Amino acid sequence: KQEVTQIPAALSVPEGENLVLNCSFTDSAIYNLQWFRQDPGKGLTSLLLIQSSQREQTSGRLNASLDKSSGRSTLYIAASQPGDSATYLCAVYGNKLVFGAGTILRVKS
Amino acid sequence: EADIYQTPRYLVIGTGKKITLECSQTMGHDKMYWYQQDPGMELHLIHYSYGVNSTEKGDLSSESTVSRIRTEHFPLTLESARPSHTSQYLCASSPTGTTREKTQYFGPGTRLLVL
C-alpha cells in the first residue's frame, strides 16, 4: 500500500526566504508525482506534475525534483512571499492518486 | 482556471437527514472523483467514475453513494447523515487519456457538519 509522508507538517518563514518542502513515498512504482496548493475555502490547484521519467519541473519561483528510486521529492520555493501561504500537498499516481497530509506554510511579511 | 463546481459550499444538518452534494464540471472530462478530507489529514478517495453509468468505490469505506447519469454531473448522496460524516468533501475531474500525464482539477469543496 502506497504511503506518502510530508515533512515538515508546518513551516513559518519570513518573507524573502528560500524554502524546501519534502515528500517521501513508499512504493517507487509510480507514473507521476504532483504538487498541489490548497487554500482555505478553496479547492486544490495543481502546481507541478513530474513524470516518472523526469527529474524535475520548474514553474516560476517553484522547482520540484523527483528521485523515484529513493522515493523522495522536494518542492523548492524561491524568494517566498506572503501570498505563498497555503497548504502544499504532494500526491503520487500509481493506479490512483495518493496524497500526503500536507505542509502548512506561513510566510510572514 | 478549472470549471468545476460544488454546492453547497457549507452545510450544517441534523442526524438522520438525507443529503446530496452536487458536483458539476463544464470541461467535458470523462473521469470524476470524490475525496474526503478531515482537517490536517490526507485526502482519501471514496468514489470515482470513468464515464456515464460507471461508478466505483474508492479506498476509504464510505456510506455514501454516487451516480453518473450525465458526463458533467457526479452527485454524492448520504441517505442518513451521522456526526461521523462530518468532513470536507472534494470533487475532482480529469481529462480523457492516460492519467499518467494529466492532473486532476478540483472543485472548492463542501464542508459538511452533522449535528
Side-chain angles (χ1 to χ4, degrees):
Chain A
K1 178 186 174 186
Q2 179 73 271
E3 293 182 0
V4 180
T5 304
Q6 291 188 244
I7 294 173
L11 183 62
S12 181
V13 300
E15 182 177 4
E17 269 203 13
N18 302 325
L19 56 98
V20 175
L21 307 182
N22 297 291
C23 171
S24 61
F25 48 96
T26 55
D27 186 351
S28 62
I30 64 170
Y31 292 115
N32 65 50
L33 180 144
Q34 300 180 51
W35 283 92
F36 290 87
R37 169 179 173 145
Q38 185 173 29
D39 293 285
K42 297 184 179 180
L44 278 67
T45 302
S46 179
L47 298 173
L48 291 164
L49 186 155
I50 311 175
Q51 299 291 344
S52 61
S53 58
Q54 299 174 322
R55 295 299 299 263
E56 65 177 345
Q57 281 286 335
T58 298
S59 176
R61 294 181 294 108
L62 305 179
N63 175 274
S65 67
L66 173 63
D67 184 343
K68 200 173 81 162
S69 61
S70 67
R72 294 180 181 179
S73 175
T74 60
L75 178 67
Y76 176 82
I77 303 178
S80 58
Q81 303 171 357
D84 295 331
S85 298
T87 299
Y88 290 81
L89 299 172
C90 168
V92 297
Y93 183 77
N95 58 1
K96 60 181 181 292
L97 206 54
V98 179
F99 286 84
T103 294
I104 302 171
L105 173 65
R106 180 185 173 214
V107 181
K108 299 173 288 186
S109 57
Chain B
E1 188 171 325
D3 296 320
I4 181 164
Y5 309 98
Q6 290 186 244
T7 58
R9 296 290 309 280
Y10 305 92
L11 180 61
V12 181
I13 201 163
T15 296
K17 300 291 186 182
K18 177 180 179 179
I19 59 173
T20 297
L21 308 185
E22 302 287 350
C23 176
S24 296
Q25 50 95 5
T26 58
M27 298 171 284
H29 291 171
D30 285 337
K31 299 174 182 176
M32 296 189 74
Y33 314 83
W34 276 104
Y35 292 88
Q36 185 174 342
Q37 184 185 29
D38 293 326
M41 303 296 287
E42 303 90 339
L43 276 75
H44 290 285
L45 182 67
I46 53 175
H47 297 283
Y48 61 97
S49 167
Y50 284 170
V52 171
N53 295 325
S54 157
T55 61
E56 301 286 345
K57 287 189 178 293
D59 296 327
L60 185 66
S61 175
S62 174
E63 294 167 344
S64 59
T65 59
V66 293
S67 63
R68 188 88 183 275
I69 299 173
R70 303 197 314 267
T71 298
E72 63 271 20
H73 195 213
F74 191 40
L76 181 145
T77 299
L78 279 164
E79 291 292 333
S80 179
R82 294 207 300 269
S84 61
H85 296 141
T86 294
S87 189
Q88 176 169 240
Y89 294 85
L90 291 162
C91 180
S93 70
S94 62
T96 304
T98 174
T99 312
R100 304 172 188 184
E101 302 168 5
K102 300 185 187 300
T103 188
Q104 293 181 13
Y105 296 88
F106 282 80
T110 294
R111 289 189 181 275
L112 173 64
L113 172 61
V114 183
L115 302 174

